[in-house]
Amino acid sequence: MRIDFDPARCDRDAFYRLMTATVVPRPIAWVSTTSADGTDNLAPHSFFTISCVAPPVVQFTSVGRKDSLRNIEETGEFVVNFAPESMFEQINATATDFPRGISEFDAVGVAREPGLRVKPPRVAASPVVLECELHSTLRLGDSTVVFGRVVHAAVSEEVMAEGHPEVTRLAPLTRLGKDEWGTLGGVREISRVPYSRWQEAEAEAAR
């Protein structure tokens, strides 16, 4: 038996909590921006994914008009900083609704490093950073999807293995429902089966 939920009849926040508890785990875009007047901002956004491969484009959603969105609209630049488990408390703290004009870098005590291609600073301790220029935005109801073209990526040597970022070294932090967060847990590997292999197996079974 299932319980039915009609978004047209549910309270907005109740249905939001339902979605964030079931669309899990969600990777975190720890977005750093700089306002037009020079104030640095840092905030986690858990509606985050890849949009395009060539050109490389990532996207995150601002629920409401948050400082990250305003700063990107003003300057056209931002950085997605990888959110590692080791920085759990700092990531959560940067979600505090600080008044506009207060830098989360300073309030929380997150060390900066300069970007290479964009003005917003990077999180110095983040193992992966994606420097982005604004591609476009899409307004959907009370939210805005931000698309950023990745113009530079930098990865810490400590998380690399055989020329590739290794997931257990990255130790990604993810968002779940309510106040819940997720860590990596077990990792399973399986190769995709090409259609030609299916045909070979079917032919073999038919003999």
Side-chain angles (χ1 to χ4, degrees):
M1 179 180 291
R2 296 179 185 269
I3 301 173
D4 296 314
F5 297 87
D6 183 348
R9 296 185 177 184
C10 287
D11 174 76
R12 178 265 191 198
D13 291 340
F15 204 80
Y16 169 81
R17 289 191 294 270
L18 174 68
M19 289 195 297
T20 55
T22 54
V23 183
V24 291
R26 298 186 307 281
I28 299 166
W30 202 11
V31 178
S32 52
T33 58
T34 301
S35 66
D37 65 7
T39 302
D40 296 329
N41 180 270
L42 181 63
H45 297 265
S46 70
F47 297 177
F48 167 56
T49 192
I50 299 168
S51 306
C52 184
V53 175
V57 176
V58 294
Q59 70 180 71
F60 75 91
T61 298
S62 174
V63 180
R65 290 193 55 77
K66 298 178 179 177
D67 289 344
S68 299
L69 174 60
R70 294 189 184 99
N71 293 347
I72 292 168
E73 289 175 338
E74 290 175 358
T75 67
E77 297 181 332
F78 63 98
V79 179
V80 174
N81 304 274
F82 184 90
E85 181 183 348
S86 60
M87 303 188 76
F88 174 40
E89 289 82 5
Q90 289 174 303
I91 294 165
N92 183 62
T94 59
T96 300
D97 57 342
F98 292 107
R100 185 165 174 79
I102 293 179
S103 172
E104 289 80 1
F105 279 98
D106 300 327
V108 176
V110 177
R112 301 168 172 84
E113 68 179 19
L116 184 69
R117 295 280 303 276
V118 298
K119 183 176 180 180
R122 312 188 304 206
V123 173
S126 176
V128 182
V129 293
L130 304 175
E131 299 185 11
C132 301
E133 294 178 350
L134 177 62
H135 176 279
S136 58
T137 60
L138 175 63
R139 184 71 180 269
L140 296 170
D142 66 353
S143 302
T144 302
V145 186
V146 178
F147 298 91
R149 179 167 182 166
V150 181
V151 295
H152 182 73
V155 182
S156 170
E157 293 181 352
E158 296 177 355
V159 302
M160 298 291 283
E162 299 179 352
H164 194 271
E166 205 280 317
V167 70
T168 61
R169 297 183 185 183
L170 287 168
L173 189 66
T174 62
R175 279 293 276 129
L176 308 174
K178 301 183 291 185
D179 290 332
E180 301 162 339
W181 300 67
T183 54
L184 182 61
V187 178
R188 301 175 63 179
E189 289 189 41
I190 187 170
S191 299
R192 294 182 183 179
V193 181
Y195 182 58
S196 59
R197 290 266 303 279
W198 284 98
Q199 290 177 307
E200 291 172 5
E202 289 175 353
E204 182 67 27
R207 291 175 187 168

